[in-house]
Structures are given as C-alpha cells and as structure tokens.
Amino acid sequence: MVLAAESRIKEEKEDTNVGPPNIPRHPEVLARWDPAKARRPDIAEAPVFYPSLEEFEDTVAYIEKIRPLAEPYGICRIVPPLKWSPPFRLREKSIWEGIKFPTRVQDVELLQNRGPVKQKQKKKPKVRKRKRSSSSKRPPSSVPASVSSPEEEEAFGFNSGPDFTLEEFEKYARCFKESYFESKEGNAPSVEETEGEYWRIVEQATDDVEVYYGADLESKVLGSGFERGETSGWNLNNLPRLSGSLLSFERGDISGVLVPWVYVGMCFSTFCWHVEDHHLYSINYNHFGEPKVWYGVPGTHATALEKAMRKHLPDLFEETPDLLHGLVTQFSPSILKEEGVPVYRAVQRAGEYVLTFPRAYHAGFNSGFNCAEAVNVATVDWLSHGQNAVELLSDENKKTSVSHDKLLLGAAYEAVRSLSGGGGDSGKSLAWRSFCGKNGTLTKAVETRLRMEEGRIKALGSGFNLIKMEKDFDSNCERECVKCCYDLHLTASGCNKCSPGEYACTKHANELCSCEGNDRFVLLRHTVDELRSLVRALEGEAEHLKTWASKVKEPRGFDLNLEYQVDGEFDNTSDARHDASMLNFAAYVQSSTGTIIRN
C-alpha cells in the first residue's frame, strides 16, 4: 500500500489532465489515507475567548485584558460576537477569477525527516522579509530574523509552484483532498482525523506528499480580504496603528508587520515553527474555508523548544545553525511534550482569530482550502520582550524589522502628553498613565534602556567625542551597526577619518576602527541626563514632566526625531555639530553615568 499522498501529476506523454497554457493541472493523487496509523498529538487545548460586543469595541484593550490568562499558553483563539461578519472582498468576481497569486511547493514528508542538504549554500540575498513601502525611503539591507531565503526554501523542498487564481486553487485543493481521503461531500474526514494523518506523513511517511501554499502574499498581489474603509480595530489593516499599539509610532509601511499578508491554503499546507520578527504579537484571521490547526509554545519555554529540536535534528542544525529562522522545519508536538516542552493546540475555524504572544513559537497546517490574513501588533507590555529580541538578534548579526528605540521613545513621548494633561480622550490618557509611575511598565522599559546605553558609553573610554545627533539622522534611510545590525536611532558611533558614512553601535564602537585623535565620535539623540529626566517625567515628577511636555505638544504623529536640549549642554548649530572637540568624553562619562537619584 502506498502510504503517502502526492499531488503531482504523472509525467506521461499523454496527460489528459493538462489544461490550457498557464492553467495548473489537476492533481492525480496516487496514495490514500491510512487512519490505522494516525499520529494525532495528545496535547491540551489553548484557551478560547468570547468577547462581548462592548469588549470587542477596543481591540488593544481586549488583548491587554486577556493577556494574563492567555500568555502562559503562547497562543489563544478569539471568537468574535455573532454580529461580527466583515465582508470578504477577495470573493469579488474580478479578484476571485481574474488575479493570480504565486505558490510554494511543500514536500510535507521532508518538513521534519530530511537529511542535510550537503551542498554549499549560496549567499543569502540581501532582502528583508518584512518590507517597507517605497515611501519610507529605507533601502533593503541585511537579512532580518525569521527569513527563509529562496536558496533555503528550494533546498528544503519549498520550490516555487504554479500561479493560481483563487477559483483555480479552490478546485485544485478540493480535488486533492477528496481523492486523498476518498471522500465526497457529506463524508469528509474530521479535523481530528486530518490532523492524525498529517502527523503520520510528517513523522513516518515513506513516499512523497507534495502540496501548494499561497503564503506571505503581499498587499500588491491580492490585496486585503477586509473591505477598504472599514474602521473596526479588528480589521487587520487598522490594528497595528491603533492607539495603544506601539507600532503606531513606526512611519514606514512594513509589509507583513504593519501591512497584512494573505495566506491561501490547501490540505496539509504548512507553516513551520517560528517566532515573530522582533518577538511581536501576531494576530491571524481566517476569512473563510476549512480550519487551520495551530500549535503554540509559551515564550517562557522558547529556549526549551530550541534545545529539543537541536537534540533531535542535530545534523540539520550542524549544517544550518540558525535553522529556526528559516521557517522550513516542522517538528512533532508529541516529541516536544516528551521533552518537557508545553505545547497547546488551537483549531481556528472560519471567522475566528488566533493571537500569538511575544517569543511564543507557533506552527501548524491547513486542513483544507482556506484564506487567512495576518499582521503584527505591539502593546506596551511587549517592550521588555522587544528589547530582549534586539539583543538576541544583535548577537546573531540579524536585523530587526522595526526600530525598537523609536517605538520606545514614541511611547514615552505620548505618555508624557497624557501625564501632563495633553492626552485628549480621558480613557486613552488613563491607559497611558497606567503604564507610568515608578514601577510602571513603560517607565521601567525606558530606565532599562538608559542603564544599558549608559554602561556602554562608559565602557568606551576616553577616545571619542560626543556630538548631538541631527534630527533627521535616520529619517530617510536605515541606520544600523555595520558589525551587528543594531538599530542606531538612539546612539551611533563613527570615524571621520577612516570610515565616513559608516556607523556602529556603542557595543562595537571600538571595533569600527583604531584611529586616534579627534576623529572618532558618538552621536547622541538624548544624553544620559536627558534620559534620566525622561524617566523622572514618566514617574510623575512635576519639574521634569513640564520640561518634556513642552517638547511633545502635538498628538501622535509628532516628530519622533525631535530635538531635546538640556540648558547649555549642547549647541546644535551646524558648526558645533561638526566640532569634534565639542565635549570632553572622559569628563562627560564621569559626570553623567551615576545611578538615577529619586526624591
């Protein structure tokens, strides 16, 4: 008996299934379902939440409300109120029948059980998985985390597949599933039966199983499934920039982060284990079709998952140490459970959301034809996770998809406005206030960043001059460390003599060059004293709050590159900007790196 299904066509000279040019061929499935060998994981279910109409009105507030209950699972389902039924614009005839989208070929039996490629990989192309719009004027640079390059995908079985219209893909997907399970309408396999067969293929297949997946489809391909102009926060086009989401302080339209991606699935098409870029939250909406089956691991056990996968797939990790950044490797929840890693299941049906939490690994597969859409969001509690992601990615020489410091300072500025009475809506003002105070989440995040940069500046020694960073330093282009890709919104080091136009973070300033004299410098958006003052403003100290409030008068959209000048400390004229002897570094370090003093 043939144990694995395969959707590729027999390559015979007379193939009667071949349609007109450019139309995908119909699958001739060679193998069949083997229910006796099902391997459905015995794991617990993730929590499910049913918001009321009132709760559903404020998306960010609801995410914050359920977080303490759901985050320990890494993943949860959200079932909207019955009245929530947004139109699905991709059903429009001109789109459904007239627009094609690309697919990937997935060999499901190779997602876990495959040997090393044993061939030299080409250098990864310098492209960003999460891409900014052209209006952001930030050119592509080094590869960020969670990237699967074309070379990796092809090596591991994710070759480019045919282009389909949604109408064509639906027919193809339904034909495949009916043939594989030998079913017709009325006797289709249950989700549980499909799940058992999926893991049999992944763990114990003896033949090929080839399916297609329309994954990571940018807005320029099909567009969003939500109607334009629909104002609900649950419209994923609106969610990232809602008040309370820190991504609202990012100006660029980053595809896949702030601009949703669409996913068109068929039975067994797979999304492999991964965490989100920058350890952001993600939210996925299943517009229509058959369920998506998800698996989630809480962020507190991310390292345990990585350790377990390295233990069981040593050859793959030896060949590709950052394998988990590639999104090309599936791994059994049953084995993770045996290794002590908590794993939870979520079955997402049409009209439901799935929310994943910071640094929560997640994976899954589609049980049949469906269409979903996903985007990222960042509530204030994410800040500590985001800072941790920045440091981890820096260690791996990988870039983040957003500027963490820009989001952090943007949140701090907005909070200052609220604390000073300029926050407008009282409800939103109260929300920002809840993150401030001496023990507030936002206050502690800014203080942590202050201490981090304070220590790094002190460690540099006396071979650098301090210069005020120009307000538009990173407004029109990306600025990142040439050594580790660290974002340079807050500080940047450079040398006028040997590396003009190149910058490093304060961790790697001494590695940029060994020049002496007045050529090496550190650019500062805010001095240590200024950041101390910002912390005190967030704690509610009136004098500091008044000083900062005068600088952030406008509502969201104010200049995140604003100038802030402590009396007499910096002269920001163009002449002074280029005066390399402007400040004595040693004296500055001595006077500016003490502990924060609270009254």
Side-chain angles (χ1 to χ4, degrees):
M1 175 180 180
V2 180
L3 294 179
E6 188 214 15
S7 60
R8 71 166 94 96
I9 293 74
K10 290 181 178 180
E11 298 294 338
E12 299 177 336
K13 291 185 178 179
E14 298 182 7
D15 186 350
T16 59
N17 286 326
V18 179
N22 300 321
I23 299 297
R25 293 176 285 186
H26 303 293
E28 184 173 344
V29 181
L30 304 179
R32 297 294 180 265
W33 175 29
D34 189 358
K37 296 182 179 179
R39 295 185 64 84
R40 183 171 184 259
D42 180 16
I43 56 177
E45 301 295 318
V48 186
F49 295 90
Y50 298 84
S52 65
L53 280 172
E54 182 180 358
E55 290 174 320
F56 203 66
E57 289 179 358
D58 192 330
T59 312
V60 174
Y62 189 71
I63 291 172
E64 291 172 340
K65 180 178 181 178
I66 66 175
R67 180 183 64 83
L69 299 174
E71 189 168 23
Y73 297 85
I75 190 173
C76 71
R77 265 197 306 144
I78 300 174
V79 181
L82 291 177
K83 290 186 178 181
W84 170 255
S85 183
F88 179 57
R89 61 171 292 275
L90 301 187
R91 279 284 191 187
E92 296 173 7
K93 182 179 177 69
S94 60
I95 300 174
W96 188 264
E97 299 178 9
I99 299 180
K100 289 184 178 287
F101 61 90
T103 62
R104 302 172 183 173
V105 180
Q106 293 184 325
D107 293 316
V108 182
E109 82 287 351
L110 297 179
L111 293 175
Q112 175 176 303
N113 295 320
R114 63 175 185 268
V117 178
K118 294 182 179 177
Q119 65 182 37
K120 186 176 181 180
Q121 294 290 313
K122 299 177 182 178
K123 184 178 180 181
K124 293 180 182 179
K126 292 191 174 182
V127 296
R128 179 195 281 279
K129 181 193 175 198
R130 311 295 194 179
K131 296 190 293 185
R132 296 177 183 267
S133 68
S134 58
S135 62
S136 66
K137 299 180 182 178
R138 294 181 62 142
S141 186
S142 52
V143 179
S146 300
V147 165
S148 49
S149 71
E151 288 83 358
E152 286 176 314
E153 291 192 349
E154 290 185 12
F156 295 145
F158 288 13
N159 297 299
S160 296
D163 290 352
F164 290 84
T165 65
L166 287 164
E167 180 184 45
E168 292 165 351
F169 195 81
E170 179 182 30
K171 292 177 180 178
Y172 188 95
R174 295 195 187 286
C175 181
F176 168 83
K177 188 170 183 180
E178 288 176 1
S179 298
Y180 184 85
F181 287 96
E182 298 182 294
S183 64
K184 297 293 181 182
E185 287 189 22
N187 69 335
S190 67
V191 175
E192 292 77 14
E193 290 171 328
T194 305
E195 183 183 16
E197 180 66 6
Y198 172 79
W199 286 108
R200 183 191 70 77
I201 298 168
V202 171
E203 296 186 66
Q204 294 186 342
T206 59
D207 206 346
D208 295 344
V209 181
E210 187 177 275
V211 297
Y212 299 134
Y213 195 15
D216 301 343
L217 301 177
E218 298 185 39
S219 58
K220 64 183 179 182
V221 180
L222 293 172
S224 171
F226 292 96
E227 290 285 355
R228 299 180 183 89
E230 206 286 317
T231 59
S232 169
W234 295 93
N235 178 335
L236 299 191
N237 296 283
N238 304 329
L239 176 56
R241 296 192 187 277
L242 292 178
S243 177
S245 170
L246 303 190
L247 292 177
S248 62
F249 302 115
E250 168 57 55
R251 292 176 176 179
D253 289 327
I254 308 173
S255 182
V257 176
L258 284 107
V259 180
W261 277 349
V262 169
Y263 298 81
V264 184
M266 63 177 286
C267 187
F268 302 144
S269 60
T270 298
F271 45 106
C272 297
W273 285 107
H274 67 287
V275 294
E276 295 298 306
D277 285 357
H278 213 121
H279 297 174
L280 291 161
Y281 284 81
S282 75
I283 188 164
N284 182 293
Y285 182 68
N286 188 356
H287 282 286
F288 81 91
E290 298 190 59
K292 299 173 76 74
V293 181
W294 295 70
Y295 306 96
V297 170
T300 52
H301 289 75
T303 302
L305 176 142
E306 294 165 359
K307 182 179 179 181
M309 290 186 67
R310 289 179 186 279
K311 174 182 175 181
H312 288 271
L313 304 173
D315 292 340
L316 294 183
F317 278 95
E318 181 178 358
E319 182 180 60
T320 311
D322 61 348
L323 184 67
L324 283 169
H325 289 307
L327 285 84
V328 292
T329 304
Q330 193 64 298
F331 193 70
S332 168
S334 300
I335 300 176
L336 289 174
K337 182 180 177 181
E338 291 172 1
E339 293 291 339
V341 180
V343 189
Y344 302 96
R345 176 195 295 109
V347 179
Q348 178 194 23
R349 292 174 170 79
E352 297 180 352
Y353 290 90
V354 162
L355 179 69
T356 72
F357 290 84
R359 211 190 176 188
Y361 272 98
H362 48 282
F365 71 97
N366 299 291
S367 66
F369 176 61
N370 58 27
C371 182
E373 190 165 348
V375 80
N376 291 114
V377 67
T379 56
V380 176
D381 68 90
W382 162 83
L383 282 169
S384 60
H385 300 284
Q387 188 65 61
N388 184 51
V390 168
E391 303 307 317
L392 288 173
L393 294 171
S394 172
D395 291 343
E396 298 173 356
N397 194 26
K398 293 184 179 294
K399 71 184 300 169
T400 59
S401 53
V402 294
S403 167
H404 183 84
D405 286 333
K406 186 176 288 187
L407 303 188
L408 175 63
L409 291 176
Y413 301 158
E414 186 78 3
V416 164
R417 291 186 59 255
S418 295
L419 291 173
S420 63
D425 181 84
S426 59
K428 301 300 181 185
S429 181
L430 286 173
W432 280 109
R433 288 171 181 267
S434 69
F435 299 115
C436 299
K438 290 192 174 182
N439 294 311
T441 303
L442 178 56
T443 307
K444 289 193 291 186
V446 175
E447 184 173 354
T448 296
R449 188 69 183 95
L450 159 63
R451 291 186 180 280
M452 186 180 296
E453 208 60 32
E454 183 179 32
R456 290 171 181 172
I457 291 174
K458 185 175 181 179
L460 289 179
S462 59
F464 293 80
N465 292 290
L466 299 183
I467 303 176
K468 186 68 172 178
M469 182 183 286
E470 293 181 345
K471 64 176 296 184
D472 59 352
F473 175 69
D474 62 346
S475 294
N476 299 315
C477 63
E478 289 186 339
R479 300 288 192 182
E480 56 192 29
C481 176
V482 296
K483 299 294 182 181
C484 71
C485 299
Y486 204 95
D487 179 75
L488 303 178
H489 181 72
L490 188 62
T491 59
S493 66
C495 178
N496 290 320
K497 183 178 180 180
C498 71
S499 52
E502 288 192 348
Y503 299 94
C505 65
T506 48
K507 289 192 298 182
H508 296 108
N510 279 315
E511 296 181 25
L512 186 63
C513 72
S514 58
C515 296
E516 297 180 353
N518 292 325
D519 293 306
R520 295 201 294 174
F521 59 86
V522 175
L523 302 178
L524 302 173
R525 186 170 298 279
H526 297 304
T527 69
V528 169
D529 282 340
E530 290 169 4
L531 292 176
R532 286 177 182 165
S533 175
L534 179 56
V535 170
R536 289 183 173 181
L538 295 174
E539 290 176 341
E541 294 189 21
E543 179 182 352
H544 296 276
L545 186 58
K546 181 179 179 181
T547 301
W548 276 93
S550 68
K551 302 295 182 181
V552 291
K553 295 178 181 178
E554 298 302 320
R556 196 152 19 110
F558 52 76
D559 186 3
L560 295 183
N561 295 308
L562 65 87
E563 300 283 340
Y564 180 78
Q565 183 170 325
V566 174
D567 291 343
E569 182 154 8
F570 280 116
D571 176 3
N572 199 49
T573 64
S574 59
D575 290 340
R577 164 64 180 80
H578 297 288
D579 180 3
S581 59
M582 177 179 166
L583 286 174
N584 180 280
F585 187 90
Y588 174 82
V589 169
Q590 184 176 3
S591 64
S592 301
T593 55
T595 57
I596 296 176
I597 301 174
R598 297 188 177 91
N599 294 331

